[in-house]
Amino acid sequence: MSAKPYVSLYDPKGPARGLRSLGLFETRFPLATRGSIPGLERIWEKSKDMSWNPKKAIPYATFDQSKYSKEQLDAARLCWSRRAWTEYTGITEVPCMLARLTLDGQMPIHAKFSLAAKIMEEARHCEASVLLADAMGGYIEEPPPGDAIMKMVIAGFRDRMALNPEISPIAGMVAWHIISEGIALDIFAARYKRTDEPVTREVIRLIMQDEVRHVDMGWIFLEHFFPSMSAAEVREIEEVVVDIVENVEMKGFHSMCLLTDSETSVMRQAEAIAGEARLGFCSPEEEHIAFVRSMESIRTRLAKFNIRIPRFPELEKVA
Ligand SMILES: [Fe+2]
Ligand SMILES: [Fe+2]
């Protein structure tokens, strides 16, 4: 039996399959590897220099369970399991954006290198969260049955933009990194401030160290491409930005502080208990303040690029 002939993705008459069936095509050659974006080059260098191993970098064995009640430990291990589920989402969605970018040989090579590193970084955030949940009493493999969290942990970046040929990879990169990674970082900063348990603090610190680069990627991309963008291209970014704010972040992907009371969630109660115990989370009030302030600062910075985020009543300034 002879092997099936390889059909190039370049062949316009070839069968639609793989990424091509999604309307995405290979144009990798000529493959540009120079004249890239210096900011992204710096990110790639830092990613290599600042690597850490979740198993070796964090002294999980020193976590002292005897200082906490069973209720506090159960709440915290559920919340850190949720952190692992959220980080896992990154592992499934970053490769889709990377695949998209790598089809095009003219997209900045250091964006691809940085995304390749980001897959590893989200993977270690997932692993660190699992190991911390284990130290607190045991990682939990799935959300409580019927909990509102189920629809929040899958953000949908893959279908929304990474593999959506109607959304340019530039718009996807900018919106995802500035909004979602930006909110994630600010929420982490608030939780870090509140946390006093040393092992938990170290997990948050190391994750934040990586997340700073993820946020920077979005701003560097925007600053680089903005001067050559048409008004329509800027509007496209705005549309994707608003979609992520409204349909991902305000729906609880990184923070549940905007959930309505009718969305009863065991996870919300667990976060309140874990926050009270200072095990890596905030009170709902503190988290709401952090979320609103994060949105406000992103809104102000994006306005300089003519990208407007509408005023949602839930995001109005807090004292
Ligand atoms: Fe992460
Ligand atoms: Fe991230």
Side-chain angles (χ1 to χ4, degrees):
M1 204 172 107
S2 62
K4 279 189 184 167
Y6 171 72
V7 181
S8 167
L9 286 165
Y10 291 107
D11 181 355
K13 293 186 191 122
R17 63 182 189 200
L19 288 168
R20 197 186 147 139
S21 66
L22 301 171
L24 303 171
F25 300 90
E26 276 273 9
T27 55
R28 83 171 66 177
F29 294 116
L31 181 59
T33 58
R34 301 193 191 280
S36 199
I37 306 176
L40 291 178
E41 208 168 332
R42 275 195 301 279
I43 286 184
W44 168 235
E45 288 305 312
K46 279 189 187 168
S47 286
K48 289 179 287 180
D49 288 342
M50 297 171 78
S51 185
W52 52 280
N53 178 343
K55 278 198 174 154
K56 295 181 182 165
I58 298 157
Y60 303 97
T62 63
F63 182 92
D64 186 356
Q65 286 193 14
S66 70
K67 289 187 175 162
Y68 302 95
S69 68
K70 179 159 180 354
E71 184 192 46
Q72 288 173 326
L73 289 170
D74 281 346
R77 72 190 179 98
L78 177 60
C79 293
W80 278 100
S81 299
R82 184 247 155 108
R83 287 284 334 127
W85 308 330
T86 304
E87 299 289 359
Y88 180 84
T89 301
I91 307 169
T92 70
E93 305 203 332
V94 183
C96 297
M97 183 56 89
L98 179 59
R100 178 85 182 273
L101 252 60
T102 53
L103 295 177
D104 180 345
Q106 299 311 298
M107 289 298 278
I109 193 92
H110 288 98
K112 300 164 194 173
F113 287 175
S114 302
L115 277 181
K118 192 182 167 198
I119 298 170
M120 165 75 163
E121 289 158 8
E122 302 298 9
R124 72 178 168 230
H125 301 171
C126 182
E127 186 182 26
S129 305
V130 169
L131 293 172
L132 181 57
D134 276 345
M136 292 169 165
Y139 167 71
I140 296 157
E141 289 184 344
E142 60 186 328
D147 197 275
I149 189 69
M150 214 39 183
K151 65 178 196 284
M152 297 163 212
V153 288
I154 300 166
F157 292 121
R158 275 170 308 187
D159 309 330
R160 274 198 155 75
M161 43 195 205
L163 297 178
N164 179 354
E166 285 168 20
I167 303 281
S168 77
I170 294 173
M173 282 291 291
V174 167
W176 181 5
H177 288 86
I178 289 178
I179 301 297
S180 260
E181 301 285 354
I183 289 172
L185 178 61
D186 291 337
I187 296 280
F188 267 126
R191 291 174 177 176
Y192 182 74
K193 239 197 223 164
R194 169 91 192 155
T195 300
D196 62 5
E197 195 289 311
V199 179
T200 310
R201 264 177 85 80
E202 188 59 359
V203 171
I204 299 177
R205 187 187 72 78
L206 285 168
I207 291 177
M208 279 172 70
Q209 197 174 278
D210 293 340
E211 298 297 354
V212 168
R213 290 194 297 282
H214 302 172
V215 181
D216 280 351
M217 282 167 71
W219 290 108
I220 292 167
F221 235 69
L222 180 59
E223 277 157 20
H224 177 80
F225 287 105
F226 184 75
S228 58
M229 273 180 194
S230 67
E233 286 167 328
V234 176
R235 289 290 72 77
E236 186 197 5
I237 294 181
E238 186 175 83
E239 272 171 35
V240 186
V241 158
V242 174
D243 176 41
I244 295 176
V245 170
E246 205 176 354
N247 298 314
V248 177
E249 296 304 336
M250 289 175 65
K251 294 285 190 299
F253 183 56
H254 280 110
S255 172
M256 291 186 282
C257 67
L258 295 183
L259 286 189
T260 59
D261 287 340
S262 62
E263 290 172 288
T264 53
S265 168
V266 175
M267 293 300 312
R268 279 175 95 188
Q269 292 160 10
E271 267 195 17
I273 296 167
E276 184 69 33
R278 296 181 172 262
L279 284 173
F281 298 88
C282 294
S283 69
E285 298 74 28
E286 284 168 330
E287 189 143 309
H288 185 246
I289 291 170
F291 189 94
V292 170
R293 287 196 178 141
S294 178
M295 281 307 314
E296 200 52 37
S297 82
I298 293 171
R299 181 200 303 281
T300 306
R301 198 166 163 193
L302 278 179
K304 293 179 188 144
F305 297 91
N306 298 324
I307 295 168
R308 316 259 164 220
I309 299 175
R311 292 243 160 237
F312 298 99
E314 302 93 316
L315 296 180
E316 282 313 295
K317 240 182 168 136
V318 287

